Structures are given as C-alpha cells and as structure tokens.
Amino acid sequence: MLARIQTESSLITSGTSTNLAKATGCGCPDSSGCDISYAGFGNQVECSAKKIRGYFNDLDAGRTTISGWKVGLTKQTSDPCSVKPVNKATAALYTYTPWVGAYALQCGKTTVGGSSLVASVFNRFKGEYAWGTGAGATCYSGTVDANVAERACVQSSSDALWRQCLSGVFTDGATAKPSNCSASYPYCASATLGRSVPMRTCVQSASNSTWQQCAAEGAWLPASSAPISGAGPAGSCFEMYAL
C-alpha cells in the first residue's frame, strides 16, 4: 500500500500534504477528475484496498478482473504495450493502473509512472527499511472473514484450494494442505448435507434439528442464533442450510 501511495501521489517522500486527498488515486480515472466522495486519506486507503482485494477475489476464483486481466492472458495496456501477467499481483496492478509507464525496459509511455513504477518503489522501500522477519504478519481471509496468523492455512471457499499466510501474503492455491500450519481453517464434513462445506457455513443438523457452524480446525460449533442473526461463533454464515 505504501508503494501504491507513493506511485500515485508521491505522498510518502514529498514532505507535504498536498496530495493527501487523492493519496492512492482511487476514484480518479484517467478520463476525468477525482470523485469528491473518495477524497481524504482514510477514504483513499479504504477505496484502494477494497478494489485490490476485489481483484484478488476474482483472480483466486479463476475469473478475470473487472477490466479483463488474468494470469497468463496477454492484454494491451493504455501506453500501449503488450503485457502477459505471470502472477496475480501483476494482473491486479494492471487492473488498477493500466499503464506500463517509464520504468519498463521494453516499452512504456515516458510521461507517466505506470505500474512499472510500483515495482521500482516497492523494491526501494523494501530495501531501505527494516520490516522485521514477518513473524507477526497476518493475512486477511475472505473465507474466514478475518485476519489469520502467520503460517495459518485456509481452504478457500471459492475453489477449495489450500492457501497459507506467509509474511503477510497468501500463497498460491494447492490441493494438499501444507504440513506446517500454525492453525487451519478447512472445510467441515456435514452428514446432513452429505458433503463438506466451507468455513463459516451454518447447517441445521438432521439428527437433532440444532444449528451448527463450521469453525476453525474443522470443528462444528453450536450456532443457535444463526436462523435469527445469520451468524454464529465463527462470524457471519457463509451459507445457511435449514431442514
């Protein structure tokens, strides 16, 4: 996020608050001015984070992003350049900023920073500051709907693949659960439904009609309030199945 702010507004190193209202460039399309409803540092950071999270949700589910970017799919940028993302981070970057810009080796519009600048700034910040070992890092999981600890493993509700939080970032999905999980959030086996369901799913049991919710470590926890509030001890119900 620091690299995104610096790329869009130079706010980190400028020494001024001139661009505070448009820190991340969110709500400021190339074709028009900035939307005043996104003005302000807090609004800017929240807007940018939600947009990028949305891009990753699409990519994690195997879809293209809202503007058609996807890993392994060649697409034209606004420079124009031909770019084929090799990972989800690159696909997300070009969804947010569809310019290669002046810091690319092969092509780019020399008058704008573009997504090539994000990598340059990120690597500079990464090398200039002591960020620690990442032992205290967390990752936000849409499946859990909360931050999970370093090395925690989550079986994604979107595709049932396992992902592990390492240094604040989830790994790419895998069919096998990692062997060194600090905590795990797997699907829970439901005898009532005859299949396994994702974390936070609420099911009314066929055996005794009580509501249960799929929770951490594959445990079913009592969730008597689920039919009223739509939530249980593990948070809001991902899905609800009544008898």
Side-chain angles (χ1 to χ4, degrees):
M1 187 59 72
L2 290 176
R4 166 59 57 199
I5 293 170
Q6 179 65 16
T7 301
E8 296 290 342
S9 64
S10 300
L11 188 64
I12 305 299
T13 61
S14 68
T16 73
S17 58
T18 302
N19 291 321
L20 198 65
K22 53 179 181 180
T24 67
C26 203
C28 299
D30 294 330
S31 57
S32 63
C34 295
D35 186 334
I36 193 171
S37 64
Y38 294 107
F41 186 75
N43 290 336
Q44 282 286 291
V45 171
E46 182 178 19
C47 173
S48 180
K50 284 183 175 180
K51 283 184 178 295
I52 294 173
R53 168 48 54 195
Y55 305 155
F56 275 104
N57 287 343
D58 286 334
L59 294 167
D60 287 344
R63 301 186 293 267
T64 62
T65 64
I66 189 171
S67 57
W69 289 94
K70 188 178 183 180
V71 175
L73 180 66
T74 301
K75 185 173 169 61
Q76 291 295 112
T77 67
S78 299
D79 295 274
C81 292
S82 181
V83 173
K84 183 179 181 180
V86 298
N87 56 46
K88 295 172 186 175
T90 300
L93 282 176
Y94 279 102
T95 301
Y96 196 99
T97 305
W99 301 85
V100 173
Y103 294 82
L105 296 177
Q106 74 278 24
C107 65
K109 190 175 179 67
T110 59
T111 57
V112 294
S115 284
S116 60
L117 177 57
V118 180
S120 176
V121 171
F122 177 84
N123 288 325
R124 175 160 57 88
F125 283 178
K126 184 178 179 181
E128 287 181 350
Y129 299 97
W131 298 103
T133 62
T138 61
C139 299
Y140 175 77
S141 166
T143 296
V144 182
D145 194 23
N147 288 332
V148 299
E150 174 77 0
R151 295 192 297 107
C153 301
V154 179
Q155 190 175 14
S156 175
S157 57
S158 64
D159 55 16
L161 296 179
W162 283 95
R163 294 178 171 85
Q164 186 174 31
C165 177
L166 295 177
S167 299
V169 179
F170 275 115
T171 59
D172 288 337
T175 55
K177 177 183 175 182
S179 60
N180 62 337
C181 303
S182 61
S184 65
Y185 302 86
Y187 278 32
C188 296
S190 170
T192 297
L193 300 177
R195 58 186 173 84
S196 293
V197 293
M199 170 77 185
R200 295 190 294 113
T201 299
C202 297
V203 178
Q204 188 177 18
S205 173
S207 64
N208 57 16
S209 297
T210 62
W211 280 88
Q212 309 284 322
Q213 185 177 40
C214 177
E217 308 301 334
W220 286 101
L221 299 181
S224 58
S225 64
I228 301 171
S229 65
S236 62
C237 298
F238 173 69
E239 291 178 328
M240 295 182 66
Y241 297 94
L243 293 176

